Amino acid sequence: MVVVNFIIQNILTQAAITIALIAMLGLLLQRKSFGAVLTGTFKTLLGFQVLSAGSAIIVTALTYFGKIFQHGFHLKGVVPSIEAINGQAMNTLGLGNEIALTFLGIFIVNIIIARFSPWKYIFLTGQALLWMSTMTVVGGKIAGFNSVVTIAVGSVIGGIFAVAMPAIAQPFVRKITKGDAIALGHFCTIGYMVEAGAAWIFGERGEKKHSIEDIKLPKYMEFFQDTYLSVAVVMVPLFMITAAFAGPKYAGNGTSLNYIMNAFMMGIQFVVGVYVLLAGVRLLLGEIVPAFRGIAMKLVPNAKPALDCPVLFPFSPNAVILGFITTTIGTVIGMFLMPVFGLAVILPGMLTNFFAGGTAGIFGNVVGGRRGAIIGGIIHGLFITLLPALLVTALTSFGFVNASATDSDTIVAMLMYAWILTPILKAV
């Protein structure tokens, strides 16, 4: 058990190492030379680490933005955080072993289903699997399962989600990437489907729909077609205006800079994060896709790697920013709307709004053009506020105070335990 825990906690939960090892396996199965195996493995590891570094820069900037946003507009409520649930489950409730074994079980079930079913997707986003294992273990305890049943049921449910979610998203991913080499491995897929559905209903249809990526600008504004300049033009003023509302106490962030100037620099840091993240994505995809052919040929025929949501960002960068903004609008509306129905006040989570909202914006844009992305983004924001509000009640019954999660698929998995499995067991 000690060895298993070490492998899970120090290797499998480190997504960069996991993906690098899988790339190495794929290259070995293709009988590549030692140099080719070493180069491909290292570049895969490097690409993922560059991607992660970009994400970390963005997280720092958005954490600052979230703080000044809350203080600037005097917002109070529950901040959804799967990390907090994971910490309490492992440290306070002592569920670390169950979570670790469920994590491993989900991965094994994923491979078995991919091998023997038409769904040929290998879910490679390690932290997302950790969140799914956390939620299914907590759900199992809410349902009253013992440890063995908790691990077994969580492994099956999580494994099904790990294959089904990429399969559901793949028709849209093909349109976005104009290919079929990669899949989306992110447990916010139900939210993406909500945006895609709303974009189909309210957006443009047919081949003539207007993509946000095809905006025609006058000559003197053509510099906005540069991805990073367009991000800066939107995000930097947003940081500065929000800082003006928050004031120097919060927006100054403990620096000697003027608080507005500090907000300006944090906005620039966000743009730098986007630049680094997209560079990492390009490097990662250049290595993982060819390496994965070995696994596809030998272990799971026709397998596709299901990767984290930033892999889609280079294909539609304007839609990412539009999705972030419209999802944020939806979450702000949802924050005031949820108490009307007797649900908890859920504060907008800027990290979720950017990564999940940005990805949802890509789905909305490819399905319904600009109009679909805008309307769909607001509806997506409402949806990802409703789900955490519903989850608060379920978690409260197990001793979590003002706690909720973010990723829509993990919340749905938890609500399956609370609303389906638990009533069935009680009836029996």
Side-chain angles (χ1 to χ4, degrees), residues 158-236:
I160 292 172
F161 268 86
V163 178
M165 293 301 107
I168 291 170
Q170 194 61 14
F172 303 94
V173 173
R174 290 191 195 102
K175 291 182 179 179
I176 293 165
T177 64
K178 295 179 173 59
D180 201 27
I182 60 169
L184 177 62
H186 195 223
F187 282 138
C188 295
T189 303
I190 294 173
Y192 304 151
M193 294 303 102
V194 168
E195 166 129 2
W200 186 81
I201 294 170
F202 299 107
E204 304 167 71
R205 303 206 187 164
E207 296 300 321
K208 294 184 178 180
K209 55 179 175 284
H210 299 87
S211 169
I212 187 65
E213 307 302 327
D214 298 331
I215 291 179
K216 300 296 182 184
L217 297 173
K219 282 277 186 185
Y220 66 90
M221 294 182 70
E222 283 183 347
F223 67 92
F224 283 128
Q225 292 177 344
D226 182 285
T227 298
Y228 308 108
L229 280 176
S230 63
V231 171
V233 166
V234 173
M235 296 304 296
V236 173

Side-chain angles (χ1 to χ4, degrees), residues 120-125 163 165-167 169-170 173-174 177 179-186 285 289 303-309 311-312:
K120 304 298 182 182
Y121 304 98
I122 308 296
F123 199 102
L124 296 178
T125 309
V163 178
M165 293 301 107
Q170 194 61 14
V173 173
R174 290 191 195 102
T177 64
D180 201 27
I182 60 169
L184 177 62
H186 195 223
L285 291 183
V289 173
K304 294 180 180 63
L307 304 169
D308 204 354
C309 62
V311 299
L312 298 183

Side-chain angles (χ1 to χ4, degrees), residues 86-405:
N86 177 260
Q88 187 171 343
M90 295 184 71
N91 301 322
T92 305
L93 300 177
L95 300 175
N97 286 342
E98 286 90 339
I99 290 172
L101 289 173
T102 302
F103 178 102
L104 183 60
I106 290 173
F107 195 72
I108 292 171
V109 171
N110 178 181
I111 293 174
I112 292 172
I113 295 175
R115 177 66 179 84
F116 297 104
S117 80
W119 293 347
K120 304 298 182 182
Y121 304 98
I122 308 296
F123 199 102
L124 296 178
T125 309
Q127 71 272 22
L129 293 178
L130 179 62
W131 305 148
M132 179 61 79
S133 63
T134 298
M135 296 296 275
T136 55
V137 166
V138 173
K141 293 303 179 181
I142 290 176
F145 296 155
N146 61 35
S147 294
V148 173
V149 176
T150 294
I151 294 166
V153 174
S155 297
V156 172
I157 290 177
I160 292 172
F161 268 86
V163 178
M165 293 301 107
I168 291 170
Q170 194 61 14
F172 303 94
V173 173
R174 290 191 195 102
K175 291 182 179 179
I176 293 165
T177 64
K178 295 179 173 59
D180 201 27
I182 60 169
L184 177 62
H186 195 223
F187 282 138
C188 295
T189 303
I190 294 173
Y192 304 151
M193 294 303 102
V194 168
E195 166 129 2
W200 186 81
I201 294 170
F202 299 107
E204 304 167 71
R205 303 206 187 164
E207 296 300 321
K208 294 184 178 180
K209 55 179 175 284
H210 299 87
S211 169
I212 187 65
E213 307 302 327
D214 298 331
I215 291 179
K216 300 296 182 184
L217 297 173
K219 282 277 186 185
Y220 66 90
M221 294 182 70
E222 283 183 347
F223 67 92
F224 283 128
Q225 292 177 344
D226 182 285
T227 298
Y228 308 108
L229 280 176
S230 63
V231 171
V233 166
V234 173
M235 296 304 296
V236 173
L238 189 60
F239 272 69
M240 295 173 71
I241 292 169
T242 306
F245 280 94
K249 179 180 178 181
Y250 300 106
N253 208 30
T255 70
S256 58
L257 282 176
N258 173 273
Y259 70 104
I260 299 295
M261 190 62 191
N262 184 61
F264 172 82
M265 294 306 297
M266 293 300 288
I268 294 296
Q269 180 174 320
F270 176 89
V271 180
V272 170
V274 172
Y275 179 90
V276 175
L277 184 148
L278 295 182
V281 168
R282 286 189 286 269
L283 181 57
L284 174 65
L285 291 183
E287 299 299 327
I288 190 65
V289 173
F292 214 78
R293 291 195 191 106
I295 295 175
M297 290 186 296
K298 300 287 185 180
L299 299 181
V300 182
N302 302 314
K304 294 180 180 63
L307 304 169
D308 204 354
C309 62
V311 299
L312 298 183
F313 289 5
F315 297 97
S316 195
N318 291 344
V320 173
I321 301 304
L322 181 63
F324 169 56
I325 293 171
T326 54
T327 293
T328 299
I329 292 171
T331 56
V332 170
I333 295 171
M335 177 184 64
F336 293 107
L337 192 60
M338 293 306 117
V340 174
F341 298 97
L343 297 172
V345 176
I346 303 296
L347 297 184
M350 293 303 160
L351 297 179
T352 302
N353 287 356
F354 177 72
F355 287 104
T359 309
I362 298 175
F363 278 71
N365 183 61
V366 79
V367 172
R370 294 197 292 265
R371 189 171 73 213
I374 292 170
I375 299 174
I378 294 172
I379 292 173
H380 175 255
L382 287 168
F383 179 73
I384 66 170
T385 305
L386 171 63
L387 281 183
L390 294 173
L391 184 61
V392 169
T393 304
L395 288 175
T396 300
S397 67
F398 199 54
F400 290 86
V401 179
N402 288 331
S404 192

Side-chain angles (χ1 to χ4, degrees), residues 28-39:
L28 289 171
L29 289 172
Q30 294 178 71
R31 298 185 179 180
K32 297 289 186 180
S33 67
F34 174 79
V37 172
L38 183 63
T39 301

